[in-house]
Amino acid sequence: MLEHVLSYDEPSDTLYVNFERCPCATYLGLSDQILLGVDAERRRVVRLMLQDFSVLANRSEIGPRSFPMDGLDEMSPDLRKLAMQLAHSPPVSDYLTISMYSPGGIEETPIITLNTDKLVARAA
């Protein structure tokens, strides 16, 4: 496993966090902007891609922003289970926090918050 290598593409406003070299990653979209690059054969995350990074990392007056994991709705039950397992485990959990939003206490919506302090520390 590589040391986590961060690279930022300014024109596309995309931050890549590479965990391993893998030319054949399959991408699982947790949301429109947050994707996991997965080595499907080994069922391991090799890359985290954060599109529109400046928007994702922009903190509100009261703290970090959270985003719905609406990409899970597009996945098969098996892929959804894998995506949640990978998102809750290192190295992804070093950069993302997964929690649940329950409006009215009935419906449950998984949400993502970026650990921007860790991303900034790694990038420095």
Side-chain angles (χ1 to χ4, degrees):
M1 182 173 282
L2 290 173
E3 176 68 25
H4 303 180
V5 177
L6 278 69
S7 60
Y8 178 68
D9 180 63
E10 190 171 354
S12 68
D13 191 22
T14 301
L15 181 72
Y16 300 94
V17 184
N18 296 294
F19 306 119
E20 295 184 25
R21 294 189 208 304
C22 180
C24 55
T26 301
Y27 285 90
L28 303 178
L30 301 180
S31 73
D32 288 342
Q33 296 87 8
I34 302 172
L35 296 94
L36 299 179
V38 177
D39 177 335
E41 187 175 302
R42 296 183 303 146
R43 300 174 67 89
R44 292 174 55 137
V45 174
V46 295
R47 175 184 268 187
L48 174 62
M49 183 172 20
L50 304 170
Q51 298 173 324
D52 300 322
F53 179 68
S54 61
V55 175
L56 294 174
N58 187 15
R59 296 175 65 95
S60 73
E61 291 179 13
I62 59 172
R65 298 178 189 277
S66 295
F67 304 90
M69 293 177 69
D70 48 14
L72 296 174
D73 297 338
E74 314 271 325
M75 296 180 195
S76 70
D78 288 340
L79 277 181
R80 185 173 28 251
K81 182 178 178 182
L82 175 63
M84 288 298 284
Q85 176 186 6
L86 294 172
H88 277 287
S89 304
V92 177
S93 62
D94 293 342
Y95 302 100
L96 303 178
T97 299
I98 310 299
S99 59
M100 191 69 67
Y101 173 64
S102 298
I106 298 171
E107 184 180 331
E108 294 183 336
T109 302
I111 58 174
I112 306 171
T113 305
L114 293 183
N115 299 332
T116 52
D117 294 341
K118 289 187 180 183
L119 285 166
V120 170
R122 286 264 186 197

